[in-house]
């Protein structure tokens, strides 16, 4: 490659589009009506593309002040526990004790989530064993040859 | 969420500096704004805000529509940059409540901050560099240059199947670490080589973009702010990096300084 100057092509513009939702001058003021909305539109656009869960999985953090209810709507997912609607991918411990009822439901859902994780782990390790067994079988067969 | 309610607002594209007061009126914006609405420049002193009237934020579930809006936003900011020099670009969908007078009042209120940012950025643009490499080639090189990898490879060949499986894992880990080290080296090299030519440098997270798509094959992505005079010299530095076998470089710009725009309080 021997170009010395920068280029701007259609595909480079696509990269910029994402940037426009994220970067640029931000104003923190009451007279500006859309600072929150701007964040939201960016989030909505992303949430619509990557599903909510996928976004969370990738550790996508939603900006402070994001209206999570609308993100959920945009992502077409059911309401999430209060603890998870603040910042995705962050330990929700801080949010506890705001109200007892909330805290309880949070804990319950956390437990459920953990239970799910455990069963997933079990499934995975089982799958791992299966693979090992297969390998061993294969080995045995091979040895038999 | 309740839509923010306002009857009159001004969508902000960017703030520019006009050396001679009054000249901005002469600039015709051939670029139509979002949804085809007219774009105008509201002036206060040396400052001009590129705006269009609006009565609600731009908000849509349709990706195509949002894309159109973003493209329009970009082309208006581009046109402003061409006419007035480096603009202070606003994030998409930033709206000031009120009419042109409100915008003018805001400019007056913020004139000091805005002017100092514009001065700082004058003649500077954002450039972006993405580096892609031939992955097979990199792997081959790493394999032939690393004693630990060579050793592992040898042991794998001699091992029974079970042991070999575990050694393969170690091998993969080692390879992954070496690749990461090589990426870091490349980033540092770019940073060091470009340092005298740029005024700000930022490394992007290249582990997949925010949209979660994994299509990006570039292993290193950086953005930097540089004076337009340095463009050619930067190109030569990049040529040097790109001349390494198996390395490809994408150099884009000049962009409005989106990544280096300030946060303003009002």
């Amino acid at each position: 490659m021997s170009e010395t100057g920068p280029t701007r092509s259609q595909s480079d513009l696509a990269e910029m589009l994402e940037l426009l939702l994220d970067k640029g001058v931000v104003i923190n003021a009451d007279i500006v009506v859309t600072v929150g909305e701007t964040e939201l539109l960016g989030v909505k656009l992303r949430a619509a593309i990557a599903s909510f869960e996928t976004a969370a999985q990738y550790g996508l953090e939603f900006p402070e002040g994001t209206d999570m209810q609308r993100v959920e709507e945009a992502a077409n997912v059911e309401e999430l526990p209060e603890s998870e609607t603040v910042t995705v991918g962050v330990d929700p411990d801080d949010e506890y004790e705001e109200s007892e009822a909330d805290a309880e439901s949070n804990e319950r859902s956390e437990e459920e989530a953990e239970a799910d994780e455990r069963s997933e782990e079990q499934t995975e390790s089982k799958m791992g064993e299966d693979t090992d067994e297969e390998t061993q079988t294969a080995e045995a067969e091979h040895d038999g040859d | 969420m309740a839509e923010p309610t306002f009857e009159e607002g001004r969508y902000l594209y960017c703030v520019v500096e006009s050396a001679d007061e009054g000249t901005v009126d002469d600039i015709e914006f051939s670029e139509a704004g979002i949804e085809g609405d007219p774009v105008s420049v509201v002036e206060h002193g040396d400052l001009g805000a590129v705006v269009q009237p609006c009565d609600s934020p731009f908000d849509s579930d349709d990706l195509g529509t949002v894309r159109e809006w973003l493209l329009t936003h970009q082309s208006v900011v581009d046109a402003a940059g061409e006419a007035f020099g480096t603009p202070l670009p606003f994030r998409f969908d930033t709206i000031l409540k009120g009419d042109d007078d409100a915008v003018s009042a805001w400019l007056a209120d913020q004139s000091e901050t805005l002017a100092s940012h514009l001065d700082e950025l004058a003649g500077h643009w954002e450039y972006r560099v993405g580096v892609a490499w031939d992955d097979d080639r990199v792997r081959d090189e790493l394999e032939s240059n690393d004693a630990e990898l060579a050793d592992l490879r040898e042991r794998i060949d001699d091992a029974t199947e079970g042991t070999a499986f575990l050694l393969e894992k170690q091998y993969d880990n080692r390879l992954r670490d070496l690749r990461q080290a090589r990426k870091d080296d490349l980033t540092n090299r770019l940073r060091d080589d470009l340092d005298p030519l740029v005024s700000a440098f930022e490394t992007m997270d290249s582990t997949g973009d925010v949209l979660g798509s994994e299509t990006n094959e570039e292993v290193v992505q950086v953005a930097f702010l540089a004076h337009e005079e340095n463009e050619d010299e930067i190109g030569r530095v990049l040529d040097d990096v790109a001349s390494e076998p198996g390395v490809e470089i994408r150099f884009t710009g000049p962009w409005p300084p989106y990544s280096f725009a300030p946060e303003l309080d009002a």
Side-chain angles (χ1 to χ4, degrees):
Chain A
M1 190 164 161
S2 60
E3 285 173 48
T4 42
T7 60
R8 279 173 77 163
S9 70
Q10 203 60 35
S11 63
D12 299 324
L13 203 52
E15 184 186 324
M16 288 303 294
L17 297 188
E18 198 181 303
L19 202 65
L20 280 164
L21 293 168
D22 257 352
K23 312 261 180 164
V25 173
V26 179
I27 310 177
N28 305 306
D30 294 339
I31 46 161
V32 180
V33 291
T34 58
V35 168
E37 287 287 315
T38 308
E39 309 273 22
L40 194 58
L41 190 58
V43 169
K44 254 179 103 175
L45 176 63
R46 277 169 218 147
I49 296 168
S51 76
F52 189 86
E53 287 91 337
T54 316
Q57 214 178 312
Y58 280 106
L60 178 66
E61 284 191 22
F62 294 100
E64 222 175 295
T66 300
D67 183 338
M68 293 310 292
Q69 204 186 325
R70 245 182 100 199
V71 173
E72 286 152 17
E73 279 169 25
N76 204 13
V77 293
E78 282 176 28
E79 197 185 327
L80 294 151
E82 178 71 19
S83 58
E84 288 175 37
T85 60
V86 179
T87 313
V88 176
V90 165
D91 194 341
D93 280 355
D94 299 348
E95 295 303 314
Y96 279 15
E97 288 169 20
E98 274 187 26
S99 89
E100 271 185 30
D102 265 11
E104 268 176 36
S105 76
N106 283 344
E107 270 164 29
R108 247 204 327 278
S109 54
E110 269 235 318
E111 272 164 27
E112 275 166 28
E114 273 172 24
D116 283 347
E117 261 177 43
R118 270 198 302 278
S119 70
E120 259 175 46
E121 270 168 32
Q122 277 164 8
T123 321
E124 264 174 37
S125 64
K126 248 191 121 182
M127 277 166 66
E129 277 164 31
D130 287 346
T131 321
D132 281 351
E133 266 168 37
E134 267 169 39
T135 317
Q136 277 164 17
T137 318
E139 210 168 2
E141 276 169 8
H142 186 73
D143 285 347
D145 288 345
Chain B
M1 176 169 171
E3 287 289 316
T5 48
F6 57 97
E7 299 202 333
E8 187 158 31
R10 291 292 181 271
Y11 181 98
L12 281 171
Y13 288 96
C14 57
V15 170
V16 294
E17 194 168 23
S18 55
D20 308 306
E21 201 172 338
T23 50
V24 281
D25 290 335
D26 304 333
I27 307 288
E28 287 267 324
F29 264 92
S30 53
E31 293 289 334
I34 292 172
E35 308 278 83
D37 286 343
V39 176
S40 62
V41 183
V42 176
E43 273 185 284
H44 175 87
D46 292 346
L47 298 169
V50 180
V51 299
Q52 82 174 55
C54 65
D55 55 13
S56 72
F58 293 102
D59 193 0
S60 168
D61 288 329
D62 181 52
L63 248 166
T65 309
V66 175
R67 199 185 152 87
E68 273 307 304
W69 290 341
L70 289 166
L71 283 167
T72 308
H73 182 103
Q74 169 60 24
S75 58
V76 170
V77 175
D78 260 348
E82 248 167 67
F84 304 107
T86 310
L88 265 183
F90 283 80
R91 183 177 292 196
F92 177 72
D93 227 354
T94 302
I95 297 171
L96 274 177
K97 211 188 271 191
D99 57 9
D100 283 356
D101 291 342
V103 176
S104 184
W106 178 75
L107 283 178
D109 189 47
Q110 292 295 307
S111 58
E112 222 170 283
T113 321
L114 289 168
S116 81
H117 283 296
L118 279 167
D119 280 349
E120 231 169 82
L121 289 169
H124 289 69
W125 299 88
E126 179 168 337
Y127 296 88
R128 312 191 124 225
V129 168
V131 186
W133 67 29
D134 182 341
D135 209 43
D136 291 341
R137 189 180 182 123
V138 166
R139 199 185 53 233
D140 289 348
E141 274 177 32
L142 291 173
E143 281 178 356
S144 59
N145 292 336
D146 187 67
E148 192 177 330
L149 276 186
D151 181 48
L152 280 168
R153 173 54 64 203
E154 214 168 279
R155 284 163 65 196
I156 288 167
D157 292 341
D158 295 342
T160 59
E161 203 158 339
T163 316
F165 176 79
L166 292 169
L167 287 171
E168 286 278 5
K169 289 271 172 238
Q170 287 182 33
Y171 186 88
D172 290 345
N173 283 343
R174 176 70 185 162
L175 195 59
R176 196 192 57 218
D177 290 348
L178 288 173
R179 280 168 52 93
Q180 188 56 49
R182 197 167 163 133
K183 281 184 199 180
D184 293 345
D185 283 351
L186 197 52
T187 310
N188 290 334
R189 181 177 169 194
L190 280 173
R191 190 196 305 271
D192 294 345
D193 288 357
L194 292 172
D195 187 62
L197 299 167
V198 306
S199 51
F201 187 94
E202 204 178 274
T203 313
M204 309 283 128
D205 182 7
S206 60
T207 57
D209 54 35
V210 262
L211 297 178
S213 64
E214 302 265 337
T215 49
N216 202 333
E217 283 169 7
E218 288 172 354
V219 290
V220 174
Q221 281 177 299
V222 298
F224 49 85
L225 191 67
H227 198 279
E228 53 200 4
E229 279 176 5
N230 291 339
E231 215 176 84
D232 291 343
E233 188 57 33
I234 288 167
R236 277 191 283 278
V237 167
L238 295 175
D239 271 348
D240 206 33
V241 177
S243 64
E244 279 183 27
V247 173
E248 253 182 63
I249 281 194
R250 190 170 59 93
F251 179 28
T252 73
W255 303 104
Y258 286 108
S259 302
F260 306 95
E263 211 168 287
L264 299 174
D265 286 310

